Amino acid sequence: MKALNSLVRLYKWRLDEKRRQLAELYAIRDGFENKLRDIEAAVIREQSIVNSASPRDPDLAYSYGAFAQAAIMQRENIQRSIASLDENLQA
C-alpha cells in the first residue's frame, strides 16, 4: 500500500508539473498576442499621423515606410512564434 501511495504522489507531481508548463506556454502566447495588438495600434497611429501631415513631407513618408516594413517583420515573427507555441500546446 505504501508503494501505491508513493506512485500516486509521483504521478500527481508529474501532472502538476505539466499543468505549470502548460500555464507558462499559455502566458507566453498571451504575451505574443498583446504584442501583436500593440503593433497594430502603432501602425494605425502612425498612419493617422502620416495622413494628417503635409503631403509635401517626403521624410515623413519615407520614415513611415521603414516603420511599416519593421512592423510587418515583427508581426510575421510573432505569428510564427505563436504557431510554434500552438504546436507545443497541442503536444
Side-chain angles (χ1 to χ4, degrees):
M1 191 66 171
K2 185 175 180 180
L4 181 61
N5 288 339
S6 296
L7 195 58
V8 167
R9 192 174 31 187
L10 173 67
Y11 280 105
K12 183 181 181 312
W13 181 82
R14 286 182 182 171
L15 179 62
D16 290 342
E17 184 67 20
K18 292 290 184 185
R19 285 179 178 159
R20 184 188 62 76
Q21 291 171 354
L22 188 62
E24 286 178 8
L25 289 175
Y26 276 118
I28 292 170
R29 188 178 194 289
D30 288 342
F32 282 144
E33 288 179 351
N34 288 337
K35 285 181 184 180
L36 277 177
R37 281 191 290 276
D38 291 345
I39 290 170
E40 292 299 323
V43 167
I44 291 169
R45 186 174 52 248
E46 294 294 322
Q47 283 175 347
S48 68
I49 291 170
V50 169
N51 289 336
S52 66
S54 170
R56 297 173 196 247
D57 191 358
D59 291 336
L60 191 59
Y62 178 75
S63 297
Y64 174 75
F67 169 79
Q69 286 178 345
I72 290 169
M73 289 179 60
Q74 284 179 336
R75 185 182 323 136
E76 289 172 354
N77 288 338
I78 291 172
Q79 288 172 339
R80 277 194 297 272
S81 296
I82 288 174
S84 175
L85 276 174
D86 286 342
E87 289 175 11
N88 289 340
L89 288 170
Q90 291 297 323

